[in-house]
Amino acid sequence: MSTSGSRFVFSEWPPTLTDDQLQALTLYATTYALSHGLLYLPPIKPQPRVPNSAIHAPLSVFPSPFPRRLFSLARRLQNTYNLLYARIATDVEFLDNVMGAIDGVGKVDDFVGQLWTGWKNLRDEGIVQPLQLGLFRSDYLLHAGLNDEPPTLKQVEFNTISSSFGALSERTAALHRYLYATTTYYNAYPAMKPEDFPANNTTAGLVEGLAAAHSAYNVDGAKILFVVQDGERNVFDQRWLEYELLEKHSIHVVRETFDQLATSASLDPTTRALIVGGGTEISTVYLRAGYTPTDYPTAAQYSTRFLLERSKAIKCPSIPLQLAGGKKVQQVLTHPGMLERFLRDEVPEAQIAELRDSWMTMWGLDEDRGVEKARNIAQQLVLKPQREGGGNNVYKEAIPAFLDGLPPLERQAWIAMELIMPPEGTGNYLVRAGSEEAQSSVKAEVISELGVFGWALFGGQDGGVREKEVGWLVRTKGKESNEGGVATGFSVLDSVLLVDD
Ligand code: ADP
Ligand code: MG
């Protein structure tokens, strides 16, 4: 493979392999994944209560090239983002204005409105646990430069709830390091060096956040509650966190769904300690459910969520922190002076500017001429509602008809965001999961999304924010797909190969 000067050429990736080499790498990859817990439960409905089989996660054969300078930028930005979202979650007036059911998005979005109203009722009653924990993931794409300029880093979204794939992405990075160690990828890309495969210790890092909350709660014998979805297939990603909590911190985990908690959870009437299963006190509630309206099919699930929220346990996330992750918040942050409002006292202006540079142009559809602007440049846009988990956005040519059918009142719930344009012509060999036949790799043109993980523990009397950047993830999707969720089946787990561009 050639490079022009020392500069990496994205359109020349992946290196060429013979069929035999590709088949050998695919065998090494799937076998490694199966033996190292890079796994999913198979798509069976309903899932058996005790599973008896697993399939490897969808994965890429090569890591994906990422400019070294932008990888370190993304990791550096995470510290500022951790602080920023901690500050947003504790700014009640801001969240009421932007997400509330009286003045904000909650007026027109029932899901946001329900969460906000539940939180408002609790505020009126009095909140007993000021501390909040965030396990975050900030997602980015490379944005190709004009006229041969090098690419820049642009943020897709910031996740404050159920940020997944920390543990599996660590294992995917290890998989690519293993493929290199065992085959040197058949020298198909001779410039590849061990130090181009960055370390990824996300599992320990995320668990350190959970353990920090647990020790701040400081009650002997308390456990951490994982709130999970019924029928969840991405259980191994969650279990790895559970094992790490037990093995490295001697902290026990209880896993329950909202429906199980409806009968098993209660609050101590005087202290509001959260008790599950008749006697276990919970230090920290870690939500891997509750981020989407389908997790709340009836009023009962909202009641359970509010019971957890009322408790003295530390929530990861609290309702305000979940609301802070709204796409509307991401868009409002682009207004002049907003970042300064949250960060001015602690973050130098140059660092604030660096963060702002990672954003695409965004606006609200309810703004003056907001819909008209969106129609005019529909081909360069994505419209997003206040939802998580993939499959909710409206892209490019679908936008005009969507706008025709959108009731004017509902515009407040939608943001417009300019499309990030990743470098063209980058490919990879993708190994999909769950097929009955022998596995094979498919070569496809792809787009790779980097996620950076971090945690923050905050909300105490002193106003302090403990935070840390803890690792990263790459998800790679076929170019023809607009969306990129691994759990929703559009993309594969991947890792980074650092390159100089
Ligand atoms: P969700 O909360 O559903 O994950 P995202 O904002 O992450 O919503 O959007 C889903 C996917 O859509 C992303 O993973 C990315 O592939 C694509 N996408 C979102 N915003 C943009 C954008 N501005 N430019 C290009 N692709 C985007
Ligand atoms: Mg996303």
Side-chain angles (χ1 to χ4, degrees):
M1 168 175 292
S2 69
T3 50
S4 63
S6 63
R7 194 154 160 196
F8 185 83
V9 181
F10 284 88
S11 59
E12 292 177 0
W13 195 259
T16 305
L17 297 169
T18 67
D19 288 348
D20 286 349
Q21 289 168 341
L22 182 58
Q23 207 172 41
L25 283 168
T26 307
L27 172 63
Y28 283 127
T30 58
T31 311
Y32 182 96
L34 289 165
S35 54
H36 289 76
L38 180 43
L39 299 174
Y40 263 69
L41 288 179
I44 303 170
K45 276 190 180 164
Q47 285 290 339
R49 200 174 60 78
V50 181
N52 62 8
S53 64
I55 58 175
H56 66 77
L59 39 92
S60 67
V61 170
F62 277 97
S64 284
F66 207 89
R68 211 177 294 273
R69 67 192 166 88
L70 296 182
F71 186 70
S72 57
L73 170 63
R75 300 190 75 172
R76 190 162 74 235
L77 288 177
Q78 190 60 31
N79 299 105
T80 316
Y81 273 120
N82 292 339
L83 178 65
L84 173 64
Y85 277 83
R87 293 269 168 88
I88 296 171
T90 45
D91 192 328
V92 173
E93 187 195 355
F94 174 84
L95 286 176
D96 284 355
N97 280 333
V98 178
M99 299 298 276
I102 299 167
D103 300 313
V105 169
K107 234 179 4 185
V108 297
D109 182 313
D110 179 62
F111 177 55
V112 171
Q114 296 260 15
L115 290 176
W116 181 84
T117 305
W119 174 46
K120 175 78 171 72
N121 292 339
L122 294 178
R123 274 150 53 188
D124 295 343
E125 179 189 355
I127 294 202
V128 289
Q129 179 53 264
L131 290 178
Q132 308 180 34
L133 175 69
L135 295 189
F136 301 136
R137 201 188 68 221
S138 186
D139 292 336
Y140 304 90
L141 291 170
L142 291 176
H143 188 44
L146 292 175
N147 310 321
D148 214 29
E149 295 281 313
T152 53
L153 182 79
K154 295 294 176 186
Q155 187 183 48
V156 174
E157 65 157 342
F158 191 86
N159 300 283
T160 60
I161 182 164
S162 302
S163 309
S164 56
F165 296 117
L168 293 196
S169 68
E170 175 176 332
R171 279 152 189 86
T172 312
L175 160 72
H176 288 147
R177 226 174 285 122
Y178 157 76
L179 291 177
Y180 177 68
T182 188
T183 67
T184 38
Y185 281 106
Y186 304 105
N187 282 319
Y189 185 64
M192 209 179 253
K193 298 182 299 297
E195 53 278 24
D196 300 334
F197 294 76
N200 189 351
N201 302 307
T202 305
T203 314
L206 292 175
V207 161
E208 189 185 69
L210 288 165
H214 180 84
S215 40
Y217 188 85
N218 198 20
V219 169
D220 273 353
K223 299 184 179 178
I224 293 182
L225 172 67
F226 281 25
V227 184
V228 297
Q229 292 176 327
D230 195 30
E232 172 70 78
R233 292 181 51 219
N234 191 21
V235 294
F236 301 100
D237 189 52
Q238 303 170 349
R239 290 284 183 184
W240 279 118
L241 301 178
E242 183 179 328
Y243 304 146
E244 177 86 6
L245 276 165
L246 187 63
E247 288 163 15
K248 300 280 162 46
H249 302 269
S250 304
I251 299 171
H252 289 254
V253 166
V254 183
R255 281 174 72 87
E256 293 204 15
T257 63
F258 275 146
D259 290 349
Q260 289 170 321
L261 288 164
T263 50
S264 79
S266 63
L267 302 191
D268 180 297
T270 45
T271 65
R272 288 205 233 160
L274 175 61
I275 309 295
V276 297
T280 304
E281 181 165 351
I282 298 300
S283 66
T284 307
V285 177
Y286 175 46
L287 288 155
R288 292 291 291 254
Y291 55 86
T292 159
T294 53
D295 287 341
Y296 304 84
T298 70
Q301 290 77 24
Y302 282 110
S303 299
T304 303
R305 176 72 192 275
F306 299 145
L307 179 91
L308 302 176
E309 193 76 16
R310 260 188 101 222
S311 78
K312 201 177 73 168
I314 297 170
K315 272 71 70 181
C316 175
S318 65
I319 292 177
L321 186 53
Q322 179 174 357
L323 294 174
K327 280 147 178 117
K328 186 68 192 176
V329 170
Q330 195 186 352
Q331 175 250 314
V332 170
L333 284 173
T334 65
H335 292 170
M338 267 302 160
L339 268 183
E340 285 77 6
R341 165 187 172 141
F342 291 110
L343 299 176
R344 184 160 27 212
D345 62 322
E346 224 172 293
V347 182
E349 188 53 48
Q351 223 169 297
I352 294 180
E354 195 173 55
L355 193 138
R356 191 178 278 117
D357 278 348
S358 73
W359 294 343
M360 297 304 282
T361 299
M362 285 174 256
W363 66 90
L365 287 187
D366 58 335
E367 282 171 30
D368 189 30
R369 298 191 56 241
V371 165
E372 192 187 330
K373 267 197 306 191
R375 274 186 205 283
N376 289 345
I377 56 161
Q379 272 305 326
Q380 289 115 268
L381 281 190
V382 49
L383 304 183
K384 302 187 185 184
Q386 309 307 305
R387 290 290 176 274
E388 302 300 326
N392 304 297
N393 300 341
V394 181
Y395 296 85
K396 302 195 250 191
E397 55 279 349
I399 289 176
F402 171 79
L403 290 173
D404 290 340
L406 185 70
L409 265 179
E410 286 179 32
R411 288 175 184 168
Q412 193 180 357
W414 289 79
I415 66 157
M417 180 178 188
E418 289 192 350
L419 282 171
I420 306 164
M421 304 301 241
E424 295 207 341
T426 312
N428 210 322
Y429 304 95
L430 309 183
V431 190
R432 308 237 177 245
S435 137
E436 296 284 310
E437 296 115 53
Q439 276 298 15
S440 62
S441 301
V442 184
K443 189 173 177 192
E445 192 175 339
V446 298
I447 292 173
S448 294
E449 186 166 331
L450 176 75
V452 179
F453 291 95
W455 61 264
L457 181 64
F458 58 95
Q461 289 289 316
D462 61 359
V465 178
R466 276 174 73 190
E467 59 80 23
K468 202 164 168 184
E469 176 268 311
V470 296
W472 51 273
L473 149 86
V474 179
R475 284 168 304 167
T476 288
K477 64 177 180 178
K479 196 172 183 223
E480 64 292 346
S481 155
N482 279 321
E483 295 268 350
V486 179
T488 42
F490 302 109
S491 64
V492 304
L493 293 171
D494 192 351
S495 76
V496 162
L497 182 77
L498 295 175
V499 298
D500 297 302
D501 69 324

